[in-house]
Amino acid sequence: MNVVIIEDEAFAALRLKKMIQEFNPDIKILSELESVAESVKWFKSNPEPDLIFLDIHLEDDLSFAIFDQVNISSPVIFTTAFDEYAIKAFKLKSIDYLLKPIVHEELAAALKKYEQFSGLHHNSVDLQSLYNLLTNPDKKYRERFSISVGTKIKMVEVTDIAYFFVMDKGVYLRTSQGNTYNVDFTLDKLEEMLNPAKFFRINRKYLVNISSIANMVAYSRGRVKLELKPKADEEFETIVSIDRSSDFKKWLNS
């Protein structure tokens, strides 16, 4: 069996390679690739492997971008740190997935599953459908965020988030308990990730959960001023903008 590993973390790639060879010393690692660009170049000039181990987040882009540039029919075993949406989708669209940190038993099970399917006809992995499944807000919405707090990672459930806001060129979330954390997404991106029945972008600085609205006050020019819970740092910034007022009223009544 010829295998390609696409992984941008050197330690993770080394550990995976070691476990694969412990499972079967006859498995040949054709290449260890770290980026989309490097992977595209390799696949354009080399025969396809029997199997690909594919990390999703590479150093220069999501690994889906590889399949936009080259046609690959090899089966894939995904590797991912977390994200339950991705895990469910990968299980449907690939041979298997491995949740990091990878353990020997799960790797062995994935390789045995590949061996069972290797004699069967298989089509190329439908990466576009998989990508749509992960990103289409009509199908799936974010349920939690992983937040870095110093050297630790904290999971925050979306149901516990009162609102997101922009401050000093950064984007933050505030929980219903009043805790504030920095997030690595723009408000535009968050709008795509969150359930529009629950969250509404009231202006360029605030994206609010309907459950966080404590009170609403009529404001000038047909606008609405929101009183949020917990209170916003700058309450004059929680005014629904003119261009969003009509949609906001429809949202309240939807």
Side-chain angles (χ1 to χ4, degrees):
M1 186 196 308
N2 295 322
V3 169
V4 166
I5 296 173
I6 304 177
E7 167 66 68
D8 65 348
E9 297 178 26
F11 177 78
L14 179 63
R15 187 169 183 270
L16 177 57
K17 179 180 179 180
K18 181 180 179 182
M19 287 193 292
I20 290 171
Q21 292 175 334
E22 287 176 352
F23 172 80
N24 184 348
D26 293 331
I27 294 177
K28 182 178 180 180
I29 310 297
L30 295 179
S31 186
E32 298 171 56
L33 308 169
E34 298 181 355
S35 67
V36 169
E38 184 182 19
S39 299
V40 168
K41 182 178 180 180
W42 190 91
F43 280 106
K44 283 183 175 180
S45 57
N46 291 278
E48 287 189 32
D50 297 309
L51 180 64
I52 301 170
F53 284 87
L54 180 66
D55 187 17
I56 297 303
H57 295 276
L58 301 177
E59 62 183 25
D60 56 347
D61 202 346
L62 294 178
S63 56
F64 298 112
I66 297 170
F67 300 87
D68 290 333
Q69 302 177 60
V70 288
N71 292 320
I72 299 173
S73 59
S74 301
V76 175
I77 293 178
F78 288 100
T79 61
T80 181
F82 52 87
D83 192 327
E84 66 174 7
Y85 299 143
I87 289 171
K88 291 177 182 177
F90 297 163
K91 239 183 166 179
L92 293 172
K93 297 290 184 177
S94 68
I95 293 294
D96 208 341
Y97 73 90
L98 296 173
L99 184 62
K100 296 178 181 179
I102 297 168
V103 297
H104 286 81
E105 293 80 5
E106 293 179 353
L107 173 64
L111 287 170
K112 287 176 182 177
K113 184 184 291 188
Y114 164 76
E115 290 174 348
Q116 292 172 357
F117 290 131
S118 61
L120 303 175
H121 173 76
H122 62 269
N123 295 318
S124 59
V125 178
D126 188 357
L127 268 297
Q128 187 60 50
S129 295
L130 174 55
Y131 182 78
N132 291 339
L133 179 61
L134 295 178
T135 59
N136 189 339
D138 292 331
K139 295 183 179 180
K140 291 290 184 181
Y141 301 110
R142 193 69 171 252
E143 293 186 359
R144 62 187 58 83
F145 288 87
S146 59
I147 305 297
S148 298
V149 183
T151 58
K152 298 182 178 179
I153 296 177
K154 177 181 178 64
M155 301 304 295
V156 179
E157 300 292 326
V158 167
T159 52
D160 291 333
I161 299 173
Y163 48 86
F164 296 86
F165 63 100
V166 175
M167 182 177 66
D168 297 331
K169 297 184 179 181
V171 178
Y172 299 82
L173 68 79
R174 182 157 293 160
T175 68
S176 55
Q177 296 79 32
N179 299 315
T180 302
Y181 304 105
N182 179 239
V183 293
D184 295 325
F185 300 101
T186 64
L187 289 188
D188 288 340
K189 186 62 178 178
L190 288 167
E191 277 189 279
E192 298 175 5
M193 300 164 68
L194 298 167
N195 188 342
K198 300 293 184 182
F199 285 84
F200 188 87
R201 177 82 172 271
I202 63 169
N203 55 40
R204 62 188 181 86
K205 286 193 172 184
Y206 276 81
L207 175 63
V208 304
N209 188 333
I210 193 168
S211 64
S212 73
I213 300 175
N215 199 11
M216 294 180 283
V217 180
Y219 204 71
S220 64
R221 301 171 66 185
R223 293 177 295 171
V224 179
K225 182 177 183 296
L226 305 184
E227 294 178 4
L228 303 178
K229 55 178 183 180
K231 287 186 176 182
D233 295 337
E234 301 289 347
E235 292 192 16
F236 69 88
E237 292 186 341
T238 59
I239 299 170
V240 182
S241 62
I242 293 175
D243 60 330
R244 296 176 185 266
S245 293
S246 177
D247 288 338
F248 176 72
K249 291 170 184 177
K250 291 177 183 178
W251 175 68
L252 290 176
N253 293 309
S254 62

